Amino acid sequence: MAFDSKIPKGEMNEKWNDYKGHVKLVNPANKRKLEVIVVGTGLAGASAAASLGEMGYKVKAFCFQDSPRRAHSIAAQGGINAAKNYQNDGDSVFRLFYDTVKGGDYRAREANVHRLAEVSTSIIDQCVAQGVPFAREYGGLLSNRSFGGTQVQRTFYAAGQTGQQLLLGAYSALERQVALGNVTMYARHEMLDVVMIEDKARGIIARNLVTGELEKHFGHAVLLCSGGYGNVFYLSTNAMGSNVTAAWKAHKKGAFFGNPCFTQIHPTCIPVSGDYQSKLTLMSESLRNDGRIWVPKNKGENRKPVDIPEEERDYYLERRYPAFGNLVPRDVASRAAKERCDEGYGVGTTKLAVYLDFADAILRYGKIEAGKMGDHSASEAALIQLGKEVVKEKYGNLFAMYEKITGENPYDMPMRIYPAVHYVMGGLWVDYELQTTVKGLYALGEANFSEHGANRLGASALMQGLADGYFVIPYTLGNYLADEIRTASISTDHPAFVETEKAVKDRIDTLLNIKGKQTVESFHKRLGLIMWDKCGMARSEKGLKEAIEQIQALKKEFWSDVRIPGEANGMNTELDKAGRVADFIELGELMCKDALVRNESCGGHFREEYQTEDGEAKRDDENFSFVSAWEYVGESDWKLNKEELTFEIVKPTQRSYK
Amino acid sequence: MNLTLKVWRQKNNQSEGSLETYQVKDISSEMSFLEMFDVLNEQLILSGGEPIAFDHDCREGICGMCSMHINGRAHGPWTNNTTCQLHMRAFKDGDTIVVEPWRSKAFPVIKDLTVDRSAFDRVIQAGGFISVNTGNAVDANSLPIDKKDADDAFMAASCIGCGACVATCVNSSAMLFVSAKVSQLALLPQGAPERESRVLNMVAQMDKENFGNCTNTYACEAECPKGISVANIARMNKEYLQASLTTES
Ligand SMILES: Cc1cc2nc3c(=O)[nH]c(=O)nc-3n(C[C@H](O)[C@H](O)[C@H](O)COP(=O)(O)OP(=O)(O)OC[C@H]3O[C@@H](n4cnc5c(N)ncnc54)[C@H](O)[C@@H]3O)c2cc1C
Ligand code: SF4
Ligand code: FES
C-alpha cells in the first residue's frame, strides 16, 4: 500500500508556495461535474465544504447533530493562534512553527507545521471578514492573550466562546453555499462506511438518524472531518456524540491510523464528582494567564483555601518551572497535578483536585482600573470589586459555567480543577496533501493525526481545523481531482455500493438481535475506566498488557450481551450509541498496542518506565523518532508501519520549560 | 431525592403523544438534569422499555442542542441557563417534574422530546452571512472596529440557536433569534454592503417558516439562556423599516 508523506522538496519556507505554484488545477467547467463528500461540519468540515462550494465543486456535507452549527467545535473556549505579531512582541511564522514542533515534543512533521504557521495569519483575516466578533482593544484593533508553551501573545479570542464564534462564521459561509445550491446539507445523518471501488474511495453509506433509512452517496472524493475520539475514555471534555466511527470505518477500509495513543489530558477541568457523571467540563487554558495553581504544603489540610496563609501554599508550577510558570504546556501541567495528588496533597472531597486561584489577578486588575480612574487610595474591597469586573469581562462565561456545575463562586473561592481527557493528537494518518493511505479519502481537523506531534499547544486545534479546511484542502484536493475529470458519477446501484450497504445493514441487525442484559452505556463506562487507568496520564508495560486483555474480553461480552431496545426503522439513539461504542472498543485496543510499542515518554504519552530523575518525560529519539502508522489486517490484528521523522530546522533537544 | 417525572412520549411525527409517569430514586443534588435523564433511561432499558429520545451534545450550554420544556418553562427554572446546565439542586425530594418538547408549528416533534429546528438553518440561509469567499479577506487589523460595537456584536452573536425563545413565545415568534443575527452583522462594518437585503430576506424566510408575529411580550428575553436582549428586536425593526423604505421602487 502507498505510504509516502509527499513532502515537497526545497527550503522549508518555500515548500508550500512552491507546491501551490505547481499543483494541478481543475477548470471551472470540470469542477461543476465533480462531487465531493464532506463528513463533519465542525471547523474543519464547515470551512472545507464552504470553500469547495465557493470554488464550484458539488458538495454534500453530513453531520449527526440536528444542525451543522452544533458540531463539537462550538464548545472550544479559549482561542486561536496566529503569527500576526500584532502585539509586536517578537512573534513570527518561524516562532509559531518552532513552538509547535517543540511543544509537540518533536513528533510532528516539520513541513506540515510550517505550512500551518504560514497560513495562520490568513485565517484571522478570513474570520474577521465573515463578521467573527473577536475581542478588541479600545483603539478598535484586535486583542490577544497568551496560551501555554509560548512566550508571546498570539492567541485571538472571543471571550471564552472562541470556538462558537469561529464555527458560526464557518457555518454562515456553509449555509450561504447551501442557499446557492453548491452544497447539499445532510444533518442528522451518520456515515457508517466508506464505499471503495477498485482502490479508491467513491462514496459513503449513511444512516438517516430520523427515519433509520440507509442511504448511498457517491463522491469523487470523500473528506473525513469527523473530529476526535477522546470519548473512548467515556469521561472527557468532548461533546457526548463525538466518536471515532467515521475514522474507524475508513481505517478498516485501508486508511492507516497514526499515533493512536497520543492523547491530550488537559490540566484544568472540573473534577469528577460522582459515578453518575456523564462528561467533564473544561475550564479554558486561558485562565492560566491569570490564575495561579497551588496545593497546600501540608498533607491532609482541612482549612478553606482562603484561610491558608501564603507561606503554606505550594505554587508548584511556578516552583518547578520558573521560566513558564503557570503557562507550561498541558502535558507538563497535567502530570505535575497528578504528581501532587498522588503524593497526597490533593484538595476537595475526592482529594483529586488542585486550586486555580484568581485572587492575585483580581487585586492586580483592580489596582490598574483604580489607577486609570486616578484613584490611588481605594480600599482593598473597592479594588477587589473593580478587579472582579475585569475578570468577569475576560472569563465571565467560564466562571458562570463553573458556578452552575459546582454551586461555588470562583470570584471568591479558588476553583478546584483536575486533568481530564480533552483532545487526541492521534488520528488517520495523512500525507502532506491530507490524503489518507486510501486514494480519494482525506482527513482534516482533529480526525487526522495532525501537526501537533505528541502534545498539542493550546489554541492550535482551531487553527489547524480552519487551516485544513480553508487554505490547504482547496489546493491539495485539486491535485487528485484533476485526474478524475473523466470519471462520470458512478451510480449507487454499483455492486460496491450495494454490498457495502448490506454489510452495514447486517451489522445493525446483529446488534439489535443480541438482546442481552447490559446497556450500551455500561459497556462504554467500563471501557473508559480501563483506558483511563491503564492508557491515561501514566502508562506501563504491565498495565497496557492487562488492558489489552480486558478490552478483548469486554468486546466479547459486548457482542453477546448488549441490550439495544427498539428497531432500526426510525430514530433509535441507543442503536446510534451502540455502533459508536463497538468501534471505541476496537480503537481502545489499538491505542494500548500503540502505547505499548512506544518505549519512550514523549508529550502526552508518559510511560512510567521512561522518565528522568525529576519525573520529566524521557524521549528516545534514536529509536522512536517516527509516526506510528497502523495498518488494519484483521480482528485484533494490526501491522505497524513507521514514517521516520527528520528534523531539518528544529533540532530535537530535551524540552525544557524551566 | 426521589422524584416523579411526567414525560412527553411520542413515537414519531405521525403518532399522537402523551405524558407518561415515571419514578426515579436516589437522585443526587449534584447531578445535572440530563444525568438524571440518563439514570431514567438506563432504568427504562433494563426494565424492557424504550429510552426517551432527547437532543443534547455539548452538555455545557453552548451547542444549543438540548431543548426541554420543564415545569412549563423552556430550559427549566433557572434563568440564563440551558437544560444541560440545570442541576438537580434546583429540585427537592418528592417533586413532580413535567417535561415536554418545544411546542411550535415551526418545530415539529420528531420523537419524544426531540424536535425539528431546521427552520432556523433556512432563515440563516436567507441572509445570515457576509458574502466573502475564502481568500478574499484584507488584513484583519486594517478595519478597526469601535470596541462597543464589537462587544455588542459579540453579545448578539452568542445566540446558541436553541429555540427557547420560540418555544416560550405565545405566538411562536422567532424574532429574538433572527434579530440577534441581523444585529450582529448590522453592528459591524463588514456587514454593511448586504445590510438591506439581509434583513428583508431573513424576515421573509422567517414568515415562510410559520413562526408567529412579535407582540412585544418579551417572554423570549426572559427565557433566553444567553441573555440575548430584546434591544436586538428593536434594532431589527429599525433595519427592516429602513430597508423597506430604500428598496421601494
Ligand atoms: C471543551 C473544549 C474546548 C476547546 N477549546 C479549544 C480552544 O480554545 N482552542 C483550540 O484551538 N482548540 C480547542 N479545543 C479543541 C478543538 O475544539 C477541536 O479539536 C476542534 O474543534 C475539532 O474540530 P473538527 O472540525 O476537527 O471536529 P468537530 O468540531 O468535532 O466536528 C466533527 C463533525 O463531524 C461530524 N461527524 C462525526 N462523525 C460523523 C459520522 N460518522 N457521520 C456524520 N458526521 C459525523 C459531527 O457531526 C461534527 O459535525 C477544545 C476542545 C474542547 C473539548
Ligand atoms: S435568542 Fe436565545 S432563546 Fe432564542 S435561539 Fe438564541 S439563544 Fe436560544
Ligand atoms: S447540550 Fe449543548 S447546550 Fe445543552
Side-chain angles (χ1 to χ4, degrees):
Chain A
M1 181 160 290
F3 186 62
D4 172 9
S5 54
K6 294 198 214 138
I7 299 170
K9 303 233 168 352
E11 293 290 314
M12 191 60 69
N13 52 7
E14 284 304 321
K15 286 181 195 289
W16 179 234
N17 263 337
D18 218 47
Y19 177 91
K20 286 192 292 184
H22 296 98
V23 69
K24 288 180 215 154
L25 298 175
V26 181
N27 81 12
N30 283 329
K31 283 200 187 102
R32 281 193 288 274
K33 290 187 242 155
L34 291 167
E35 300 177 47
V36 181
I37 287 177
V38 179
V39 179
T41 61
L43 287 182
S47 58
S51 304
L52 296 172
E54 288 162 7
M55 292 166 76
Y57 292 111
K58 276 209 290 196
V59 179
K60 287 179 170 184
F62 295 77
C63 72
F64 61 74
Q65 290 92 347
D66 70 330
S67 161
R69 67 178 288 153
R70 305 200 204 284
H72 165 59
S73 294
I74 199 95
Q77 300 173 349
I80 176 167
N81 288 331
K84 280 286 198 185
N85 194 28
Y86 282 163
Q87 304 306 321
N88 194 27
D89 56 1
D91 201 9
S92 62
V93 165
F94 181 82
R95 210 172 270 279
L96 174 52
F97 157 70
Y98 177 91
D99 286 347
T100 308
V101 173
K102 174 186 172 194
D105 218 358
Y106 309 97
R107 290 293 172 264
R109 198 187 281 150
E110 275 189 327
N112 286 50
V113 179
H114 202 280
R115 173 178 66 192
L116 176 64
E118 285 171 57
V119 303
S120 68
T121 55
S122 308
I123 297 173
I124 303 303
D125 300 339
Q126 186 64 31
C127 294
V128 166
Q130 288 168 344
V132 170
F134 283 121
R136 287 176 186 267
E137 305 291 350
Y138 282 100
L141 301 177
L142 293 163
S143 177
N144 290 113
R145 58 188 173 201
S146 284
F147 260 60
T150 65
Q151 290 170 314
V152 294
Q153 292 194 305
R154 65 160 74 99
T155 306
F156 294 78
Y157 63 99
Q161 287 152 252
T162 316
Q164 178 196 30
Q165 295 310 317
L166 295 174
L167 183 59
L168 292 181
Y171 158 79
S172 68
L174 172 67
E175 292 297 355
R176 175 171 158 248
Q177 293 307 308
V178 172
L180 292 170
N182 299 327
V183 177
T184 312
M185 185 65 224
Y186 297 84
R188 289 199 198 272
H189 274 66
E190 179 151 288
M191 170 204 142
L192 292 178
D193 215 343
V194 182
V195 177
M196 301 285 300
I197 296 180
E198 281 151 18
D199 59 345
K200 290 178 176 164
R202 288 300 190 193
I204 63 168
I205 305 297
R207 181 165 183 269
N208 177 327
L209 299 180
V210 174
T211 63
E213 272 161 295
L214 293 180
E215 299 171 4
K216 301 177 287 221
H217 295 274
F218 165 80
H220 288 88
V222 176
L223 275 46
L224 299 184
C225 313
S226 47
Y229 51 81
N231 278 345
V232 65
F233 290 87
Y234 185 71
L235 287 182
S236 84
T237 61
N238 289 9
M240 300 297 287
S242 298
N243 69 85
V244 76
T245 291
W248 196 250
K249 302 305 188 202
H251 175 54
K252 289 180 122 175
K253 288 282 162 85
F256 290 2
F257 215 101
N259 295 334
C261 83
F262 284 175
T263 308
Q264 177 157 82
I265 316 261
H266 195 293
T268 55
C269 302
I270 301 178
V272 178
S273 61
D275 59 6
Y276 49 79
Q277 194 128 4
S278 59
K279 75 156 289 183
L280 295 170
T281 301
L282 175 76
M283 286 289 108
S284 165
E285 178 158 312
S286 56
L287 294 173
R288 286 198 272 143
N289 272 279
D290 286 314
R292 296 179 71 195
I293 294 181
W294 62 276
V295 290
K297 280 189 180 159
N298 303 320
K299 288 188 189 178
E301 177 64 74
N302 283 324
R303 284 172 289 179
K304 280 202 215 137
V306 285
D307 295 335
I308 301 176
E310 196 61 22
E311 59 279 8
E312 291 177 42
R313 301 175 175 192
D314 176 14
Y315 294 91
Y316 58 87
L317 289 177
E318 298 170 28
R319 169 170 59 77
R320 285 178 68 177
Y321 307 100
F324 282 70
N326 290 295
L327 282 172
V328 290
R330 294 176 174 173
D331 52 338
V332 177
S334 289
R335 270 200 296 281
K338 179 177 188 302
E339 188 273 338
R340 284 292 82 188
C341 294
D342 287 353
E343 290 298 312
Y345 296 96
V347 301
T349 44
T350 59
K351 301 288 171 203
L352 284 177
V354 300
Y355 291 125
L356 177 61
D357 197 335
F358 296 89
D360 284 356
I362 288 175
L363 202 58
R364 178 163 44 88
Y365 284 125
K367 284 182 189 152
I368 296 173
E369 288 305 296
K372 279 190 202 158
M373 297 184 291
D375 180 355
H376 299 291
S377 58
S379 66
E380 182 157 321
L383 293 177
I384 289 178
Q385 202 41 48
L386 287 170
K388 281 182 182 173
E389 288 304 315
V390 177
V391 167
K392 185 168 179 192
E393 187 186 328
K394 288 184 174 247
Y395 313 112
N397 73 316
L398 301 173
F399 277 47
M401 220 189 249
Y402 182 87
E403 184 166 1
K404 275 175 189 159
I405 293 174
T406 63
E408 282 175 16
N409 176 353
Y411 292 96
D412 296 328
M413 197 65 111
M415 288 182 176
R416 272 178 291 116
I417 48 134
Y418 196 67
V421 172
H422 177 61
Y423 177 88
V424 289
M425 283 74 69
L428 293 174
W429 183 91
V430 289
D431 61 20
Y432 189 75
E433 300 186 306
L434 306 182
Q435 187 163 213
T436 67
T437 48
V438 171
K439 281 186 210 144
L441 184 66
Y442 292 75
L444 283 66
E446 195 174 337
N448 70 27
F449 86 100
S450 84
E451 336 287 47
H452 310 292
N455 173 59
R456 174 174 69 78
L457 291 181
S460 287
L462 302 183
M463 170 174 70
Q464 183 223 331
L466 290 180
D468 288 358
Y470 283 135
F471 297 108
V472 178
I473 201 74
Y475 289 93
T476 61
L477 188 63
N479 208 29
Y480 174 75
L481 291 179
D483 294 332
E484 291 290 327
I485 52 179
R486 275 171 216 92
T487 310
S489 288
I490 298 173
S491 155
T492 54
D493 293 332
H494 186 288
F497 275 97
V498 177
E499 281 158 27
T500 314
E501 184 188 36
K502 178 161 185 312
V504 170
K505 183 175 178 303
D506 289 349
R507 186 171 189 259
I508 289 174
D509 291 342
T510 308
L511 280 168
L512 285 170
N513 284 327
I514 298 171
K515 299 192 194 302
K517 293 186 296 298
Q518 304 178 60
T519 63
V520 177
E521 200 71 10
S522 69
F523 281 105
H524 194 182
K525 272 191 192 175
R526 282 165 64 193
L527 174 68
L529 278 179
I530 302 172
M531 295 300 293
W532 178 245
D533 286 345
K534 305 201 159 129
C535 197
M537 263 195 286
R539 301 151 174 194
S540 70
E541 182 180 338
K542 179 168 169 284
L544 290 165
K545 284 184 171 158
E546 284 165 10
I548 291 172
E549 273 177 28
Q550 288 171 339
I551 294 170
Q552 286 174 349
L554 188 73
K555 182 161 124 188
K556 272 210 192 95
E557 208 178 315
F558 177 92
W559 284 98
S560 57
D561 199 30
V562 72
R563 170 179 297 192
I564 305 161
E567 292 141 21
N569 60 352
M571 179 175 263
N572 187 337
T573 46
E574 283 298 303
L575 177 61
D576 306 342
K577 212 158 58 177
R580 296 171 193 169
V581 171
D583 293 337
F584 275 140
I585 294 176
E586 295 181 14
L587 165 76
E589 183 177 348
L590 179 62
M591 288 172 73
C592 294
K593 285 217 153 122
D594 186 42
L596 187 59
V597 300
R598 195 169 275 280
N599 287 325
E600 65 161 351
S601 294
C602 59
H605 169 65
F606 191 74
R607 282 281 301 271
E608 287 168 346
E609 303 93 325
Y610 307 97
Q611 49 181 310
T612 62
E613 257 164 34
D614 47 358
E616 305 291 340
K618 200 160 145 195
R619 245 182 26 237
D620 176 355
D621 291 332
E622 191 115 344
N623 296 302
F624 292 96
S625 186
F626 61 77
V627 175
S628 342
W630 293 89
E631 183 175 355
Y632 183 78
V633 180
E635 198 181 330
S636 290
D637 191 4
W638 287 271
K639 176 169 174 261
L640 174 62
N641 300 277
K642 297 176 183 175
E643 178 197 344
E644 293 297 333
L645 293 168
T646 46
F647 293 89
E648 286 172 36
I649 311 279
V650 191
K651 291 295 171 208
T653 50
Q654 195 199 340
R655 219 164 42 123
S656 169
Y657 293 95
K658 299 192 172 177
Chain B
M1 65 183 101
N2 300 333
L3 303 162
T4 303
L5 292 163
K6 291 183 187 285
V7 183
W8 186 261
R9 300 304 306 260
Q10 180 172 339
K11 196 167 166 40
N12 56 41
N13 186 241
Q14 263 70 54
S15 58
E16 297 270 305
S18 63
L19 282 173
E20 299 286 326
T21 306
Y22 306 102
Q23 310 291 333
V24 284
K25 294 204 171 62
D26 299 327
I27 296 300
S28 151
S29 63
E30 285 181 48
M31 273 185 198
S32 72
F33 194 78
L34 294 185
E35 283 165 351
M36 184 271 292
F37 256 74
D38 294 342
V39 171
L40 172 59
N41 271 347
E42 290 289 288
Q43 190 177 306
L44 287 172
I45 297 166
L46 290 173
S47 61
E50 265 205 55
I52 299 154
F54 62 91
D55 269 332
H56 66 111
D57 200 23
C58 73
R59 293 206 179 183
E60 50 190 55
I62 192 74
C63 73
M65 193 118 176
C66 61
S67 42
M68 293 185 186
H69 214 251
I70 302 164
N71 283 345
R73 291 187 61 186
H75 292 306
W78 289 356
T79 48
N80 287 333
N81 201 74
T82 56
T83 302
C84 60
Q85 289 179 302
L86 180 63
H87 276 64
M88 295 311 291
R89 59 178 183 278
F91 302 93
K92 54 181 196 314
D93 187 44
D95 276 358
T96 297
I97 309 173
V98 182
V99 187
E100 292 188 75
W102 282 174
R103 301 280 186 204
S104 159
K105 241 199 317 196
F107 292 161
V109 172
I110 295 175
K111 182 176 180 179
D112 299 338
L113 302 173
T114 310
V115 300
D116 178 354
R117 287 170 286 191
S118 53
F120 271 6
D121 289 328
R122 291 188 291 274
V123 171
I124 298 294
Q125 281 158 29
F129 48 74
I130 288 171
S131 298
V132 52
N133 283 359
T134 303
N136 278 348
V138 294
D139 183 82
N141 257 355
S142 64
L143 189 72
I145 299 174
D146 181 82
K147 180 164 164 50
K148 168 108 180 36
D149 288 341
D151 287 350
D152 287 350
F154 168 74
M155 292 298 286
S158 63
C159 160
I160 57 174
C162 63
C165 46
V166 175
T168 207
C169 174
V170 284
N171 309 314
S172 284
S173 164
M175 286 291 270
L176 196 61
F177 167 80
V178 180
S179 69
K181 188 47 75 182
V182 167
S183 279
Q184 177 204 342
L185 300 179
L187 281 160
L188 297 170
Q190 303 92 303
E194 295 163 292
R195 193 164 179 168
E196 286 164 2
S197 59
R198 174 178 306 117
V199 65
L200 295 176
N201 292 340
M202 287 180 77
V203 168
Q205 187 65 33
M206 173 176 89
D207 292 341
K208 232 193 263 173
E209 296 287 352
N210 277 321
F211 291 110
N213 292 323
C214 173
T215 52
N216 299 318
T217 66
Y218 301 153
C220 52
E221 183 186 71
E223 295 298 56
C224 170
K226 295 292 138 179
I228 302 294
S229 158
V230 289
N232 291 304
I233 297 184
R235 188 179 292 112
M236 177 162 94
N237 284 335
K238 213 172 96 204
E239 291 281 316
Y240 188 82
L241 198 67
Q242 235 156 23
S244 319
L245 291 176
T246 46
T247 52
E248 235 164 305
S249 50

